[in-house]
Amino acid sequence: NPFRYIADFLHLVSFLILILKIRKTRNCLGLSFRTQEIYLAVFCVRYIDLFMYFVSVYNTSMKLLYISSTVFIIYLMKFKKPYCLSYDSASDDFPHYKFIYTGAAVLALLVHTDLAPFELGWSYSIWLEALAIIPQLHMLQKIKDVENITSNYVGALGVYRFFYIVSWIYKYSLTGDVCWTSLLGGIVQTILYADFLYYYIISLKSGKGMSL
Amino acid sequence: QYVKKMHDEL
């Protein structure tokens, strides 16, 4: 399934773009730490299966790469000088415990693959990922700083889930299997990214307007 | 069986 590999690759590229951008600008202005923290929670919850079964070398190495890239981004934003000095905690104030962690839990109780603990956790990670961009969206609307969030980053992250949807449709056409949790979560996620992209373009335009 | 299905996607 080529679409799925394109999606995985785009996801990986998005981490690299963000790391390179932070290092290049030597700051993390405009970036939401809360969004990155939620991504780490997503991967830690979903990839518990690393200890449960083996899929492939590709699968295991990608999971480890996703976790380590996110840990590295978090390290840069929170601890590594000078990058961490520019973290704007005052603007990164979306109540993520109240709305994202709890909201995803409610969604996972409503839409899930199974009631077994692992399946519930897996479904929770799908919903958590779908909502993860909200603190970044909130921050972008608040400060309209797009220096670090390049269009490549937004594009790679947004398009990655879209490619997964294409991959699920492709899979459905071949086998007739459909995972409603993944599909619904993926649709919500893609819609939120489209919204994010919309505000991103507006901020980009207004920023350029001021400099002209 | 505890693991009902194997999730091969990331």
Side-chain angles (χ1 to χ4, degrees), chain A residues 169-191:
Chain A
I169 294 169
Y170 179 77
K171 202 170 163 184
Y172 176 74
S173 73
L174 288 182
T175 63
D177 292 335
V178 60
C179 174
W180 286 105
T181 310
S182 300
L183 190 59
L184 291 174
I187 290 171
V188 169
Q189 191 170 339
T190 307
I191 291 170

PDB file of all heavy atoms in Angstrom, chain A residues 169-191:
ATOM      1  N   ILE A 169      -9.126   3.848   2.272  1.00  0.00           N
ATOM      2  CA  ILE A 169     -10.090   3.640   1.186  1.00  0.00           C
ATOM      3  C   ILE A 169      -9.545   2.558   0.238  1.00  0.00           C
ATOM      4  O   ILE A 169     -10.264   1.655  -0.178  1.00  0.00           O
ATOM      5  CB  ILE A 169     -10.353   4.971   0.428  1.00  0.00           C
ATOM      6  CG1 ILE A 169     -11.065   5.971   1.358  1.00  0.00           C
ATOM      7  CG2 ILE A 169     -11.181   4.728  -0.838  1.00  0.00           C
ATOM      8  CD1 ILE A 169     -11.142   7.382   0.831  1.00  0.00           C
ATOM      9  N   TYR A 170      -8.256   2.645  -0.039  1.00  0.00           N
ATOM     10  CA  TYR A 170      -7.582   1.662  -0.903  1.00  0.00           C
ATOM     11  C   TYR A 170      -7.683   0.269  -0.285  1.00  0.00           C
ATOM     12  O   TYR A 170      -8.037  -0.705  -0.956  1.00  0.00           O
ATOM     13  CB  TYR A 170      -6.122   2.092  -1.064  1.00  0.00           C
ATOM     14  CG  TYR A 170      -5.275   1.169  -1.909  1.00  0.00           C
ATOM     15  CD1 TYR A 170      -5.360   1.184  -3.299  1.00  0.00           C
ATOM     16  CD2 TYR A 170      -4.361   0.304  -1.309  1.00  0.00           C
ATOM     17  CE1 TYR A 170      -4.576   0.358  -4.067  1.00  0.00           C
ATOM     18  CE2 TYR A 170      -3.568  -0.529  -2.080  1.00  0.00           C
ATOM     19  CZ  TYR A 170      -3.678  -0.510  -3.452  1.00  0.00           C
ATOM     20  OH  TYR A 170      -2.893  -1.325  -4.203  1.00  0.00           O
ATOM     21  N   LYS A 171      -7.423   0.192   1.026  1.00  0.00           N
ATOM     22  CA  LYS A 171      -7.482  -1.071   1.753  1.00  0.00           C
ATOM     23  C   LYS A 171      -8.910  -1.643   1.707  1.00  0.00           C
ATOM     24  O   LYS A 171      -9.106  -2.836   1.484  1.00  0.00           O
ATOM     25  CB  LYS A 171      -7.083  -0.803   3.203  1.00  0.00           C
ATOM     26  CG  LYS A 171      -6.587  -2.001   3.980  1.00  0.00           C
ATOM     27  CD  LYS A 171      -6.015  -1.489   5.298  1.00  0.00           C
ATOM     28  CE  LYS A 171      -5.854  -2.586   6.322  1.00  0.00           C
ATOM     29  NZ  LYS A 171      -5.389  -2.030   7.613  1.00  0.00           N
ATOM     30  N   TYR A 172      -9.892  -0.734   1.903  1.00  0.00           N
ATOM     31  CA  TYR A 172     -11.297  -1.132   1.874  1.00  0.00           C
ATOM     32  C   TYR A 172     -11.673  -1.694   0.513  1.00  0.00           C
ATOM     33  O   TYR A 172     -12.365  -2.714   0.413  1.00  0.00           O
ATOM     34  CB  TYR A 172     -12.183   0.071   2.222  1.00  0.00           C
ATOM     35  CG  TYR A 172     -13.658  -0.223   2.117  1.00  0.00           C
ATOM     36  CD1 TYR A 172     -14.294  -1.003   3.084  1.00  0.00           C
ATOM     37  CD2 TYR A 172     -14.407   0.272   1.052  1.00  0.00           C
ATOM     38  CE1 TYR A 172     -15.647  -1.287   2.993  1.00  0.00           C
ATOM     39  CE2 TYR A 172     -15.760   0.004   0.957  1.00  0.00           C
ATOM     40  CZ  TYR A 172     -16.372  -0.780   1.910  1.00  0.00           C
ATOM     41  OH  TYR A 172     -17.708  -1.058   1.818  1.00  0.00           O
ATOM     42  N   SER A 173     -11.182  -1.085  -0.553  1.00  0.00           N
ATOM     43  CA  SER A 173     -11.498  -1.537  -1.907  1.00  0.00           C
ATOM     44  C   SER A 173     -10.913  -2.929  -2.172  1.00  0.00           C
ATOM     45  O   SER A 173     -11.445  -3.684  -2.968  1.00  0.00           O
ATOM     46  CB  SER A 173     -10.979  -0.535  -2.943  1.00  0.00           C
ATOM     47  OG  SER A 173      -9.574  -0.619  -3.040  1.00  0.00           O
ATOM     48  N   LEU A 174      -9.828  -3.257  -1.483  1.00  0.00           N
ATOM     49  CA  LEU A 174      -9.198  -4.567  -1.684  1.00  0.00           C
ATOM     50  C   LEU A 174      -9.796  -5.643  -0.781  1.00  0.00           C
ATOM     51  O   LEU A 174     -10.061  -6.754  -1.216  1.00  0.00           O
ATOM     52  CB  LEU A 174      -7.694  -4.476  -1.417  1.00  0.00           C
ATOM     53  CG  LEU A 174      -6.832  -3.739  -2.446  1.00  0.00           C
ATOM     54  CD1 LEU A 174      -5.371  -3.786  -2.035  1.00  0.00           C
ATOM     55  CD2 LEU A 174      -7.003  -4.339  -3.845  1.00  0.00           C
ATOM     56  N   THR A 175      -9.986  -5.300   0.517  1.00  0.00           N
ATOM     57  CA  THR A 175     -10.362  -6.331   1.477  1.00  0.00           C
ATOM     58  C   THR A 175     -11.763  -6.156   2.066  1.00  0.00           C
ATOM     59  O   THR A 175     -12.301  -7.077   2.666  1.00  0.00           O
ATOM     60  CB  THR A 175      -9.370  -6.345   2.661  1.00  0.00           C
ATOM     61  OG1 THR A 175      -9.463  -5.086   3.344  1.00  0.00           O
ATOM     62  CG2 THR A 175      -7.936  -6.546   2.197  1.00  0.00           C
ATOM     63  N   GLY A 176     -12.329  -4.956   1.930  1.00  0.00           N
ATOM     64  CA  GLY A 176     -13.636  -4.698   2.521  1.00  0.00           C
ATOM     65  C   GLY A 176     -13.566  -4.372   4.006  1.00  0.00           C
ATOM     66  O   GLY A 176     -14.590  -4.190   4.650  1.00  0.00           O
ATOM     67  N   ASP A 177     -12.326  -4.293   4.535  1.00  0.00           N
ATOM     68  CA  ASP A 177     -12.162  -3.972   5.958  1.00  0.00           C
ATOM     69  C   ASP A 177     -12.131  -2.463   6.163  1.00  0.00           C
ATOM     70  O   ASP A 177     -11.514  -1.748   5.402  1.00  0.00           O
ATOM     71  CB  ASP A 177     -10.828  -4.538   6.487  1.00  0.00           C
ATOM     72  CG  ASP A 177     -10.845  -6.049   6.510  1.00  0.00           C
ATOM     73  OD1 ASP A 177     -11.961  -6.618   6.592  1.00  0.00           O
ATOM     74  OD2 ASP A 177      -9.767  -6.652   6.425  1.00  0.00           O
ATOM     75  N   VAL A 178     -12.807  -2.039   7.210  1.00  0.00           N
ATOM     76  CA  VAL A 178     -12.724  -0.629   7.566  1.00  0.00           C
ATOM     77  C   VAL A 178     -12.679  -0.499   9.089  1.00  0.00           C
ATOM     78  O   VAL A 178     -13.415  -1.173   9.800  1.00  0.00           O
ATOM     79  CB  VAL A 178     -13.881   0.196   6.934  1.00  0.00           C
ATOM     80  CG1 VAL A 178     -15.235  -0.304   7.386  1.00  0.00           C
ATOM     81  CG2 VAL A 178     -13.721   1.669   7.225  1.00  0.00           C
ATOM     82  N   CYS A 179     -11.731   0.314   9.579  1.00  0.00           N
ATOM     83  CA  CYS A 179     -11.642   0.565  11.014  1.00  0.00           C
ATOM     84  C   CYS A 179     -12.243   1.941  11.278  1.00  0.00           C
ATOM     85  O   CYS A 179     -11.658   2.971  10.921  1.00  0.00           O
ATOM     86  CB  CYS A 179     -10.178   0.522  11.480  1.00  0.00           C
ATOM     87  SG  CYS A 179      -9.977   0.999  13.201  1.00  0.00           S
ATOM     88  N   TRP A 180     -13.438   1.935  11.871  1.00  0.00           N
ATOM     89  CA  TRP A 180     -14.162   3.197  12.057  1.00  0.00           C
ATOM     90  C   TRP A 180     -13.445   4.164  12.991  1.00  0.00           C
ATOM     91  O   TRP A 180     -13.507   5.370  12.819  1.00  0.00           O
ATOM     92  CB  TRP A 180     -15.586   2.925  12.543  1.00  0.00           C
ATOM     93  CG  TRP A 180     -16.429   2.404  11.429  1.00  0.00           C
ATOM     94  CD1 TRP A 180     -16.844   1.119  11.239  1.00  0.00           C
ATOM     95  CD2 TRP A 180     -16.918   3.155  10.304  1.00  0.00           C
ATOM     96  NE1 TRP A 180     -17.563   1.018  10.064  1.00  0.00           N
ATOM     97  CE2 TRP A 180     -17.626   2.249   9.492  1.00  0.00           C
ATOM     98  CE3 TRP A 180     -16.827   4.493   9.915  1.00  0.00           C
ATOM     99  CZ2 TRP A 180     -18.234   2.647   8.293  1.00  0.00           C
ATOM    100  CZ3 TRP A 180     -17.440   4.898   8.729  1.00  0.00           C
ATOM    101  CH2 TRP A 180     -18.130   3.978   7.929  1.00  0.00           C
ATOM    102  N   THR A 181     -12.760   3.624  13.984  1.00  0.00           N
ATOM    103  CA  THR A 181     -12.037   4.490  14.928  1.00  0.00           C
ATOM    104  C   THR A 181     -10.966   5.282  14.172  1.00  0.00           C
ATOM    105  O   THR A 181     -10.896   6.506  14.282  1.00  0.00           O
ATOM    106  CB  THR A 181     -11.383   3.642  16.034  1.00  0.00           C
ATOM    107  OG1 THR A 181     -12.366   2.756  16.560  1.00  0.00           O
ATOM    108  CG2 THR A 181     -10.838   4.516  17.141  1.00  0.00           C
ATOM    109  N   SER A 182     -10.141   4.569  13.394  1.00  0.00           N
ATOM    110  CA  SER A 182      -9.088   5.234  12.627  1.00  0.00           C
ATOM    111  C   SER A 182      -9.682   6.224  11.636  1.00  0.00           C
ATOM    112  O   SER A 182      -9.214   7.358  11.516  1.00  0.00           O
ATOM    113  CB  SER A 182      -8.277   4.216  11.826  1.00  0.00           C
ATOM    114  OG  SER A 182      -7.678   3.295  12.665  1.00  0.00           O
ATOM    115  N   LEU A 183     -10.725   5.767  10.930  1.00  0.00           N
ATOM    116  CA  LEU A 183     -11.296   6.588   9.864  1.00  0.00           C
ATOM    117  C   LEU A 183     -11.907   7.878  10.418  1.00  0.00           C
ATOM    118  O   LEU A 183     -11.603   8.967   9.950  1.00  0.00           O
ATOM    119  CB  LEU A 183     -12.338   5.775   9.090  1.00  0.00           C
ATOM    120  CG  LEU A 183     -12.855   6.425   7.803  1.00  0.00           C
ATOM    121  CD1 LEU A 183     -11.716   6.686   6.826  1.00  0.00           C
ATOM    122  CD2 LEU A 183     -13.905   5.555   7.135  1.00  0.00           C
ATOM    123  N   LEU A 184     -12.741   7.750  11.465  1.00  0.00           N
ATOM    124  CA  LEU A 184     -13.377   8.944  12.053  1.00  0.00           C
ATOM    125  C   LEU A 184     -12.331   9.862  12.672  1.00  0.00           C
ATOM    126  O   LEU A 184     -12.367  11.077  12.487  1.00  0.00           O
ATOM    127  CB  LEU A 184     -14.437   8.539  13.083  1.00  0.00           C
ATOM    128  CG  LEU A 184     -15.690   7.872  12.506  1.00  0.00           C
ATOM    129  CD1 LEU A 184     -16.596   7.374  13.631  1.00  0.00           C
ATOM    130  CD2 LEU A 184     -16.463   8.854  11.622  1.00  0.00           C
ATOM    131  N   GLY A 185     -11.384   9.270  13.412  1.00  0.00           N
ATOM    132  CA  GLY A 185     -10.302  10.054  14.013  1.00  0.00           C
ATOM    133  C   GLY A 185      -9.506  10.780  12.938  1.00  0.00           C
ATOM    134  O   GLY A 185      -9.172  11.956  13.089  1.00  0.00           O
ATOM    135  N   GLY A 186      -9.212  10.075  11.855  1.00  0.00           N
ATOM    136  CA  GLY A 186      -8.450  10.648  10.746  1.00  0.00           C
ATOM    137  C   GLY A 186      -9.185  11.797  10.077  1.00  0.00           C
ATOM    138  O   GLY A 186      -8.577  12.805   9.706  1.00  0.00           O
ATOM    139  N   ILE A 187     -10.511  11.655   9.953  1.00  0.00           N
ATOM    140  CA  ILE A 187     -11.303  12.719   9.321  1.00  0.00           C
ATOM    141  C   ILE A 187     -11.308  13.970  10.211  1.00  0.00           C
ATOM    142  O   ILE A 187     -11.064  15.078   9.743  1.00  0.00           O
ATOM    143  CB  ILE A 187     -12.745  12.220   9.013  1.00  0.00           C
ATOM    144  CG1 ILE A 187     -12.695  11.194   7.877  1.00  0.00           C
ATOM    145  CG2 ILE A 187     -13.643  13.388   8.638  1.00  0.00           C
ATOM    146  CD1 ILE A 187     -14.008  10.466   7.625  1.00  0.00           C
ATOM    147  N   VAL A 188     -11.535  13.761  11.524  1.00  0.00           N
ATOM    148  CA  VAL A 188     -11.515  14.893  12.470  1.00  0.00           C
ATOM    149  C   VAL A 188     -10.152  15.583  12.414  1.00  0.00           C
ATOM    150  O   VAL A 188     -10.047  16.811  12.335  1.00  0.00           O
ATOM    151  CB  VAL A 188     -11.826  14.418  13.917  1.00  0.00           C
ATOM    152  CG1 VAL A 188     -11.542  15.525  14.924  1.00  0.00           C
ATOM    153  CG2 VAL A 188     -13.275  13.963  14.033  1.00  0.00           C
ATOM    154  N   GLN A 189      -9.105  14.769  12.420  1.00  0.00           N
ATOM    155  CA  GLN A 189      -7.740  15.303  12.390  1.00  0.00           C
ATOM    156  C   GLN A 189      -7.481  16.123  11.116  1.00  0.00           C
ATOM    157  O   GLN A 189      -6.928  17.225  11.180  1.00  0.00           O
ATOM    158  CB  GLN A 189      -6.749  14.144  12.471  1.00  0.00           C
ATOM    159  CG  GLN A 189      -5.325  14.575  12.708  1.00  0.00           C
ATOM    160  CD  GLN A 189      -4.424  13.385  13.032  1.00  0.00           C
ATOM    161  OE1 GLN A 189      -4.907  12.337  13.446  1.00  0.00           O
ATOM    162  NE2 GLN A 189      -3.144  13.552  12.851  1.00  0.00           N
ATOM    163  N   THR A 190      -7.907  15.588   9.977  1.00  0.00           N
ATOM    164  CA  THR A 190      -7.687  16.287   8.713  1.00  0.00           C
ATOM    165  C   THR A 190      -8.454  17.607   8.679  1.00  0.00           C
ATOM    166  O   THR A 190      -7.935  18.622   8.204  1.00  0.00           O
ATOM    167  CB  THR A 190      -8.092  15.384   7.531  1.00  0.00           C
ATOM    168  OG1 THR A 190      -7.413  14.129   7.672  1.00  0.00           O
ATOM    169  CG2 THR A 190      -7.717  15.998   6.201  1.00  0.00           C
ATOM    170  N   ILE A 191      -9.682  17.610   9.217  1.00  0.00           N
ATOM    171  CA  ILE A 191     -10.482  18.840   9.248  1.00  0.00           C
ATOM    172  C   ILE A 191      -9.785  19.898  10.122  1.00  0.00           C
ATOM    173  O   ILE A 191      -9.675  21.062   9.740  1.00  0.00           O
ATOM    174  CB  ILE A 191     -11.918  18.561   9.759  1.00  0.00           C
ATOM    175  CG1 ILE A 191     -12.684  17.738   8.712  1.00  0.00           C
ATOM    176  CG2 ILE A 191     -12.646  19.864  10.076  1.00  0.00           C
ATOM    177  CD1 ILE A 191     -14.020  17.191   9.196  1.00  0.00           C
TER     178      ILE A 191
END
